[in-house]
Amino acid sequence: MKNNQFAQIRADHKTVVEELQRIRFLDDEIRVAQAPAAVYRLLLRKAFLKVRGEHEFDIKLTNYLATSDTDLKDYLDAGKPITAEVFYLVALQLFGFLADVDYEMTDPLAAMKKMQLPMMEAGGAWNKDQVLDAWYLLLTTHTKNGQTFLDQLTSQGYFVPFYDLPAEQKPLFFNGKAQAVFDTSQLIREVVYVESSVDSDHDGKRDLLKVEFIRPIDTEHGMKVPALFTASPYNQGINDEAGAKAMHHVNVPLTEKQPNDLNYEDIAYHDEGTALPDPRPVAGETKDAAETFNREYSYTLNDYFLARGFAAVYSAGIGTLDSDGIQTCGDPQQTEATRDIIEWLNGKRRAFTNRTGHIAITAWWCTGNVAMTGRSYLGTLATAAATTGVKGLKTIISEAAISSWYNYYREGGLMVAPGGFPGEDADVLAIETLSRMKAAADYHLRVKDFFTEQMKQMARDMDRESGSYNTFWDARNYLKKVKAITCDVLMVHGLNDWNVKPGQVEQLWQAMREVPVTKKIILHQGQHIYINAFRSIDYTDMVNLWISHELYGIENGAKELLPDVIVQDNVTPETWTAYQDWSDPNAPKETFNFAAGKLVSTPVSDDVLTFKDSLPEVIFNRYADHIDQWERDILAEQKNDLSENRLLFKADPVDSDKIIDGRVHVHVKAASNHSFGMLSFQLVDYGEAKRFNATPTPMGMGKIDLGYHWREDRLNEFTLAKFATPFKMITKGHINLQNREDPWKVDELKPDQFYEIDVELHPTFHRLAAGHQLGLVIYATDFGMTVRGNQDLRYSIDLSRCHLDVPFR
């Protein structure tokens, strides 16, 4: 194990004393005690929550070693000095580490350093103050199960006596973070219907949006809490069968497009505004909701904070079960509807207790401060809401979020599917998430006909056959309104996420450079995943520090303590490193030129190389059915069924580790034998090595408790695969040769005529290990993402005018 903690605050002794008193570790008995061993014993007694009597406590102490030959009871009974060696040998055992497996009993300090567990650097016999300082640090340090020692004690009931604190004494903060002093067995679950500012189903009434929320019972006694809001179109269920039926065929040909002379202004979306129906009349007001619910489709990060003084709010939004409207897949109406929930939480918008009764209800229990959380579509709507500048939204924590829907379903003038979902498009997602279908009368009698016509219109507007950027996609481009963001932003994204590709978060990161808010980014080696249950990084602690500041105003130094950029290393497991920036657009790049099969530093070749795109039908069908085989063969150096369908170039092995940081630029001079064509590129790390498994590995029976007798999360970590592999794709990119200037501008492509083509690959942060080779593969059809026409297309590449620009850090 290697521990990486970024949210741990190092406190001075005065703060240590104040905060240990606050959480009742430092009481009158410890204040009176002077002997360090006696103080240490009293602290341990408070940590052994499962024993009730002193005799039972003594028995427990005999199970712990103080030195390699003395148990802890005998050592303390003898009044021997507390030293770093003794304290941290016991700490390793308290943390769940195994002697002779995780550490050597004779040298616990070496194990602490190796695992990067923070220690108090003090030699010799410790005094009372040093014992208290070390205990404070111990409480905030992570254990083998990926939580702080204090969270471990929390799961055993340490904070149960705090449940009865008066509302004015809550929440309770320790080390700058909210603690679990709220009774999750008494959480209140309620439902309201927020009146939105849209009429997406055109029924002449403002859409009502079902909102489910969970709040601490303390709000019944005068306390107000901030809200963690997760906008999830999946929250009320999805329509798998209808979505599968709506999927588009991808075994279709690429076709020639009619050239145009469009510029951006010709296709730009401008919100012309629409007249809204009048608000509903109010027949009365109440503080009491009329509906409740059982088990929400929750996010475990929100669950963690329900025990710590935050409310969790969920809404599926327009077009979902028990709400009005239709699904519109990321358009301004969906953004407005998401913002409307925040306005209700902030006291600026009304809600009703049901869909017909006109009894208004406010979020009287909420402070008005809101953070948005969630991954994928959930994080996307957080980003969308942030671009409205809505008051009350203090921060978003957007994980794997879309910043432009065009780049989710298209790229460079091509239909490019999100990884793993060939055939999906905006209309398919709208159909999948229209959970109003689940209420037969509501759907069939009130919205089916209108929604069916809207889906026909969406199919025309999204222009799947063209693949070009147009007004439909511009309306769904949140980057246009980034300057309106007033909340702080924490972004999280996987460098191997080919569903919501890394370019989505990098575009937002770049667009926000001049926006005067605090922005942070965490880049991990995962695909489309959450990372709050990872053992090697204190992600949940970071979020706790962040939202304790953002939503409660705690001056904990979160903005200064948390690095602007944190990146998980792709070579060494459990390694996370802080950086000042990512993908600096002004960073220098190393240029490689092309020779036959090689990437070289100086131009040496005037060769023209060619490759084909078609395959025999049997081979084509095999790859279409087994995309994993295609992904392997397109990169493999050995001759295979795709060897003539790609060009492969490799640089010399690197002498030492080199980091690629940002976007790699590819320039080629290319020709197609038809009046249409596409090119695809993959940047590859060639070299035999054990690499990370594609998905995180569950850590045995390890679970993370999110409170006391509350919910759990599964502990995960990225581990190295059992066997070495010869290569790994680093990043990729695609372009339609008729969109070589802009994604909205279509140019003529004359057969067999060469054109200069520039492509920016998706950004990365990748360590190319010493002895490995950087490779570039050029091909056309991407079986996992593009259309698959299996056409008689042949491409030529003039090596004399090709180069690859790599931003090595």
Side-chain angles (χ1 to χ4, degrees):
M1 172 182 167
K2 189 186 295 183
N3 179 51
N4 300 269
Q5 285 188 250
F6 297 95
Q8 187 181 53
I9 301 172
R10 291 300 185 102
D12 58 30
H13 184 67
K14 180 175 180 292
T15 303
V16 165
V17 170
E18 291 173 352
E19 294 201 3
L20 287 177
Q21 287 177 335
R22 187 182 303 156
I23 64 169
R24 303 178 187 173
F25 258 110
L26 181 52
D27 57 14
D28 289 342
E29 192 173 8
I30 291 179
R31 268 189 289 271
V32 171
Q34 293 301 316
V39 170
Y40 182 44
R41 182 188 179 95
L42 289 169
L43 292 169
L44 286 168
R45 180 67 187 91
K46 290 177 177 292
F48 279 71
L49 296 160
K50 297 178 182 179
V51 296
R52 296 175 180 174
E54 290 303 312
H55 178 66
E56 289 76 16
F57 174 55
D58 284 343
I59 294 173
K60 293 296 182 183
L61 291 181
T62 63
N63 287 332
Y64 289 79
L65 284 173
T67 67
S68 60
D69 57 5
T70 307
D71 72 46
L72 185 54
K73 179 183 181 301
D74 289 346
Y75 190 91
L76 293 175
D77 286 348
K80 292 183 178 181
I82 304 303
T83 65
E85 289 77 11
V86 170
F87 187 90
Y88 288 114
L89 177 57
V90 175
L92 288 167
Q93 297 165 78
L94 292 172
F95 284 3
F97 293 105
L98 298 178
D100 301 325
V101 176
D102 298 313
Y103 63 92
E104 298 294 332
M105 291 179 289
T106 55
D107 196 357
L109 301 188
M112 293 286 292
K113 291 177 181 177
K114 182 179 180 181
M115 291 186 282
Q116 299 180 174
L117 298 170
M119 293 185 294
M120 197 180 78
E121 303 291 342
W126 287 358
N127 60 33
K128 176 181 177 178
D129 287 353
Q130 289 171 317
V131 171
L132 291 175
D133 289 348
W135 189 260
Y136 178 95
L137 186 61
L138 192 74
L139 290 172
T140 64
T141 298
H142 272 220
T143 68
K144 187 173 183 177
N145 280 334
Q147 286 184 297
T148 64
F149 185 42
L150 184 55
D151 269 353
Q152 179 176 303
L153 298 180
T154 297
S155 70
Q156 297 171 18
Y158 182 81
F159 282 116
V160 169
F162 293 72
Y163 289 172
D164 293 330
L165 282 175
E168 60 269 17
Q169 293 183 29
K170 291 184 177 182
L172 186 148
F173 296 92
F174 182 79
N175 200 239
K177 307 168 194 74
Q179 300 303 312
V181 297
F182 294 83
D183 187 353
T184 51
S185 70
Q186 297 192 64
L187 291 169
I188 297 169
R189 293 168 170 82
E190 295 179 317
V191 177
V192 299
Y193 296 86
V194 170
E195 186 176 55
S196 75
S197 58
V198 300
D199 176 18
S200 62
D201 55 12
H202 293 193
D203 66 351
K205 295 178 288 186
R206 298 186 182 206
D207 293 344
L208 288 177
L209 309 174
K210 181 181 181 181
V211 179
E212 299 174 335
F213 57 92
I214 311 167
R215 57 184 174 90
I217 196 170
D218 307 72
T219 53
E220 293 289 305
H221 307 296
M223 183 179 184
K224 290 189 174 185
V225 297
L228 302 181
F229 170 36
T230 301
S232 170
Y234 311 120
N235 182 262
Q236 297 295 312
I238 59 174
N239 310 306
D240 289 321
E241 296 82 2
K245 185 177 179 180
M247 291 288 270
H248 297 273
H249 296 294
V250 295
N251 291 349
V252 296
L254 186 68
T255 58
E256 180 181 358
K257 295 193 276 190
Q258 183 66 34
N260 63 45
D261 197 29
L262 293 175
N263 57 46
Y264 171 70
E265 278 305 316
D266 295 325
I267 56 91
Y269 171 79
H270 299 287
D271 189 356
E272 298 175 355
T274 54
L276 270 177
D278 291 336
R280 289 167 175 79
V282 175
E285 296 182 358
T286 184
K287 289 180 62 178
D288 301 318
E291 291 185 30
T292 185
F293 61 98
N294 182 21
R295 179 68 163 91
E296 77 286 1
Y297 184 76
S298 68
Y299 172 22
T300 54
L301 188 70
N302 293 353
D303 293 342
Y304 178 86
F305 288 107
L306 278 170
R308 290 162 172 81
F310 300 82
V313 180
Y314 297 93
S315 179
I318 52 176
T320 58
L321 183 65
D322 295 332
S323 292
D324 297 331
I326 63 167
Q327 278 289 356
T328 57
C329 195
D331 85 332
Q333 294 180 99
Q334 192 172 44
T335 298
E336 287 292 306
T338 305
R339 184 193 68 177
D340 293 339
I341 308 297
I342 299 167
E343 289 188 338
W344 176 69
L345 292 167
N346 191 239
K348 302 294 192 302
R349 182 169 292 277
R350 67 166 57 115
F352 296 96
T353 56
N354 60 49
R355 294 174 68 174
T356 60
H358 296 226
I359 302 299
I361 184 170
T362 64
W364 53 267
W365 46 266
C366 185
T367 63
N369 293 338
V370 180
M372 290 192 71
T373 62
R375 171 180 61 92
S376 195
Y377 208 157
L378 292 60
T380 300
L381 292 179
T383 301
T387 63
T388 69
V390 59
K391 294 189 183 307
L393 183 60
K394 300 299 183 181
T395 187
I396 63 170
I397 303 164
S398 59
E399 305 184 48
I402 295 167
S403 58
S404 170
W405 284 88
Y406 178 81
N407 294 323
Y408 185 63
Y409 287 122
R410 307 284 187 272
E411 184 179 334
L414 288 172
M415 189 293 297
V416 175
F421 298 94
E424 187 182 299
D425 215 321
D427 56 345
V428 177
L429 187 58
I431 291 167
E432 285 182 341
T433 54
L434 189 91
S435 52
R436 286 186 75 175
M437 286 185 186
K438 296 181 178 297
D442 183 44
Y443 176 63
H444 286 276
L445 300 180
R446 301 184 185 101
V447 78
K448 179 181 178 181
D449 291 344
F450 178 78
F451 181 67
T452 300
E453 290 304 311
Q454 289 300 110
M455 288 303 96
K456 292 177 182 177
Q457 185 62 48
M458 182 179 285
R460 290 189 291 269
D461 292 344
M462 70 189 193
D463 194 10
R464 182 175 174 86
E465 290 186 8
S466 163
S468 293
Y469 189 91
N470 61 19
T471 306
F472 175 90
W473 298 110
D474 198 51
R476 292 161 172 78
N477 183 354
Y478 308 127
L479 299 169
K480 294 174 57 176
K481 295 187 176 182
V482 160
K483 291 182 180 179
I485 293 177
T486 57
C487 67
D488 295 329
V489 178
L490 173 58
M491 296 164 262
V492 183
H493 214 98
L495 291 164
N496 292 292
D497 187 347
W498 297 105
N499 179 342
V500 178
K501 303 174 184 71
Q504 294 281 357
V505 74
E506 193 259 0
Q507 290 177 129
L508 183 59
W509 180 253
Q510 300 293 4
M512 291 193 64
R513 285 188 180 275
E514 303 304 321
V515 180
V517 299
T518 301
K519 46 268 187 189
K520 310 282 184 182
I521 189 167
I522 301 172
L523 299 169
H524 58 82
Q525 292 299 325
Q527 298 177 353
H528 200 59
I529 61 170
Y530 284 118
I531 64 167
N532 53 298
F534 271 54
R535 186 175 69 176
S536 63
I537 186 170
D538 61 337
Y539 178 69
T540 300
D541 296 348
M542 285 192 279
V543 173
N544 195 337
L545 190 78
W546 184 256
I547 65 172
S548 291
H549 169 71
E550 296 284 354
L551 300 187
Y552 272 112
I554 299 301
E555 295 299 329
N556 55 17
K559 293 184 178 182
E560 296 75 29
L561 182 62
L562 299 182
D564 289 341
V565 179
I566 300 173
V567 183
Q568 183 184 19
D569 191 74
N570 61 286
V571 174
T572 307
E574 299 182 309
T575 301
W576 301 77
T577 306
Y579 296 93
Q580 292 183 337
D581 198 4
W582 174 53
S583 193
D584 179 357
N586 299 315
K589 294 185 177 182
E590 182 176 342
T591 297
F592 294 88
N593 295 288
F594 290 25
K598 296 181 179 180
L599 296 173
V600 295
S601 57
T602 57
V604 296
S605 177
D606 292 324
D607 292 344
V608 174
L609 302 183
T610 64
F611 64 94
K612 65 184 180 71
D613 196 36
S614 61
L615 289 165
E617 185 175 357
V618 172
I619 296 174
F620 174 86
N621 290 336
R622 171 162 55 85
Y623 283 134
D625 291 338
H626 301 282
I627 293 174
D628 58 330
Q629 293 182 15
W630 174 87
E631 290 174 336
R632 180 192 63 224
D633 289 353
I634 197 69
L635 303 182
E637 295 183 75
Q638 296 83 2
K639 185 174 178 59
N640 61 61
D641 290 330
L642 293 176
S643 296
E644 295 180 10
N645 291 61
R646 58 96 198 272
L647 300 176
L648 190 159
F649 305 89
K650 291 173 61 180
D652 290 336
V654 294
D655 296 329
S656 58
D657 288 6
K658 301 185 78 170
I659 292 175
I660 305 169
D661 176 4
R663 287 188 180 266
V664 171
H665 174 257
V666 182
H667 178 88
V668 296
K669 189 175 182 181
S672 167
N673 66 334
H674 284 276
S675 56
F676 55 89
M678 62 177 165
L679 287 178
S680 300
F681 305 87
Q682 289 193 39
L683 192 73
V684 188
D685 177 341
Y686 284 101
E688 197 77 16
K690 289 184 178 180
R691 296 176 165 88
F692 288 164
N693 289 302
T695 57
T697 303
M699 292 286 95
M701 298 296 291
K703 291 185 178 180
I704 293 178
D705 289 295
L706 305 177
Y708 176 62
H709 291 174
W710 182 221
R711 294 171 180 170
E712 298 175 334
D713 206 352
R714 187 62 184 264
L715 191 66
N716 294 303
E717 191 54 63
F718 273 109
T719 57
L720 293 176
K722 186 176 294 185
F723 302 104
T725 55
F727 52 79
K728 182 186 184 302
M729 188 263 287
I730 301 170
T731 186
K732 60 173 25 179
H734 311 272
I735 192 169
N736 188 314
L737 298 185
Q738 287 194 264
N739 292 87
R740 53 189 178 273
E741 292 184 70
D742 287 300
W744 52 81
K745 187 176 186 298
V746 178
D747 293 306
E748 181 183 14
L749 189 76
K750 294 181 179 180
D752 298 317
Q753 179 169 319
F754 283 88
Y755 296 90
E756 306 281 343
I757 308 294
D758 289 277
V759 176
E760 296 278 349
L761 306 187
H762 282 276
T764 189
F765 194 106
H766 182 88
R767 183 182 301 277
L768 190 67
H772 285 212
Q773 294 173 274
L774 187 66
L776 180 71
V777 175
I778 304 176
Y779 59 105
T781 296
D782 189 311
F783 271 68
M785 293 185 176
T786 67
V787 294
R788 306 186 296 228
N790 202 25
Q791 295 157 276
D792 184 22
L793 284 161
R794 179 167 290 275
Y795 297 92
S796 301
I797 306 294
D798 180 351
L799 302 190
S800 68
R801 297 296 300 273
C802 295
H803 59 85
L804 179 73
D805 301 322
V806 183
F808 284 119
R809 173 176 276 272

